[in-house]
Amino acid sequence: MSCRRVALSHGNSHTARLARYRSCDFRSGYDSMITERIMTIRLQEVHPSLVHLPIALVPVAIGADIMGRATGNRSLLEMGRRSMELAAAGAAVSAMSGLVAQEEVNVHDETMDMLITHRNINLAATVMTGLLALWRSERYRPSRTYLGLGLASIAAFVYSAYLGGTLVYQYGVGVAPAGGQWRANAPAIGAGRPAAVVKDVATDLAHGVKHLVQELAKGKLVPWLTDGHGPRHVVVTEGAENAKAAQAAHPPAT
């Protein structure tokens, strides 16, 4: 017996369509259950969906400005200016979502140092992108210094993205089956609990800022690079042991 999927409208609202799945028990040949699911996204999953904004737009802005400066093409120069403004806005939203995400994942020991390094480099690149956008908005032609700082920002975003990808895909940070989620019952966007989501986002953002200030006060700028970790293999425990270690190392702010 084959399984089939039927798309249904979700009430009279303009929200995304609800997909109904018929789950079949292939071993017995009978229908076992019918479940309804809607597309949801966990709070820590918002960040990786937004990081592409600065990663894509900063190179576009700098590339357009380099070509525009070399050729005198007004359209390219305008494209470079506008793209940097969009990149700054995207970087700011991405950075805020990152502060929320760090409060919803399990990290400890070396993976915590990697997360702190990822966060701080990303924040520094975000600030730089904002300053570049402000400077560029008042000038028609980019300077060599501007282009050099833009290239440095690209390098920072790329390395920060590398660390973020390593945390998720190599060590399972934020991945439920790997014990990488802080809690299993966190509200998910699209699950019909908007008030709970807004409350959790506000709480996580406040805690994220507090942890940022505390760690900077302790001199933890890029601990993954300065504390002798480097690219060495990191052993991450799984399941409950991982959660317990993460909670001991990074307790929620009060």
Side-chain angles (χ1 to χ4, degrees):
M1 182 177 294
S2 62
C3 293
R4 62 188 180 88
R5 169 187 171 191
V6 181
L8 302 175
S9 296
H10 185 46
N12 295 322
S13 66
H14 61 278
T15 57
R17 288 187 175 181
L18 180 68
R20 173 173 293 177
Y21 295 89
R22 180 179 297 274
S23 177
C24 302
D25 186 347
F26 291 97
R27 291 173 299 178
S28 62
Y30 294 96
D31 290 351
S32 60
M33 61 184 296
I34 295 178
T35 60
E36 290 186 351
R37 301 176 182 175
I38 58 176
M39 181 181 293
T40 61
I41 181 169
R42 299 284 182 184
L43 295 183
Q44 73 272 12
E45 296 168 348
V46 175
H47 178 61
S49 69
L50 295 175
V51 295
H52 301 87
L53 295 172
I55 293 173
L57 289 171
V58 175
V60 168
I62 296 301
D65 270 340
I66 289 175
M67 292 186 293
R69 191 175 190 273
T71 63
N73 188 296
R74 291 178 176 270
S75 296
L76 286 174
L77 292 172
E78 181 65 13
M79 177 180 177
R81 185 171 68 87
R82 295 296 186 186
S83 295
M84 187 58 75
E85 293 172 353
L86 291 174
V93 175
S94 174
M96 287 189 291
S97 69
L99 290 174
V100 173
Q102 76 171 20
E103 301 302 315
E104 294 291 340
V105 299
N106 283 332
V107 288
H108 64 95
D109 298 332
E110 297 181 32
T111 51
M112 176 177 285
D113 285 347
M114 185 182 290
L115 176 62
I116 292 172
T117 302
H118 164 72
R119 179 198 65 200
N120 291 349
I121 290 177
N122 188 52
L123 287 174
T126 297
V127 172
M128 177 60 68
T129 302
L131 294 175
L132 289 174
L134 182 62
W135 187 94
R136 186 70 177 86
S137 66
E138 299 176 350
R139 291 166 176 81
Y140 167 73
R141 184 181 177 87
S143 66
R144 292 181 179 179
T145 300
Y146 169 88
L147 295 176
L149 292 174
L151 292 173
S153 295
I154 293 173
F157 277 124
V158 168
Y159 184 67
S160 176
Y162 159 74
L163 292 178
T166 301
L167 282 167
V168 174
Y169 295 111
Q170 188 169 344
Y171 304 128
V173 173
V175 180
Q181 288 187 0
W182 178 256
R183 50 182 176 162
N185 61 340
I189 298 174
R193 298 170 59 193
V197 171
V198 171
K199 180 180 178 180
D200 275 31
V201 167
T203 301
D204 284 346
L205 190 57
H207 288 176
V209 172
K210 184 173 183 177
H211 286 138
L212 168 65
V213 173
Q214 291 174 342
E215 288 152 1
L216 290 177
K218 294 177 182 178
K220 292 186 175 183
L221 299 178
V222 285
W224 177 251
L225 299 177
T226 58
D227 292 357
H229 299 310
R232 192 174 62 193
H233 177 67
V234 180
V235 178
V236 180
T237 56
E238 296 183 357
E241 294 181 359
N242 186 28
K244 185 182 295 184
Q247 291 173 6
H250 200 183
T254 56

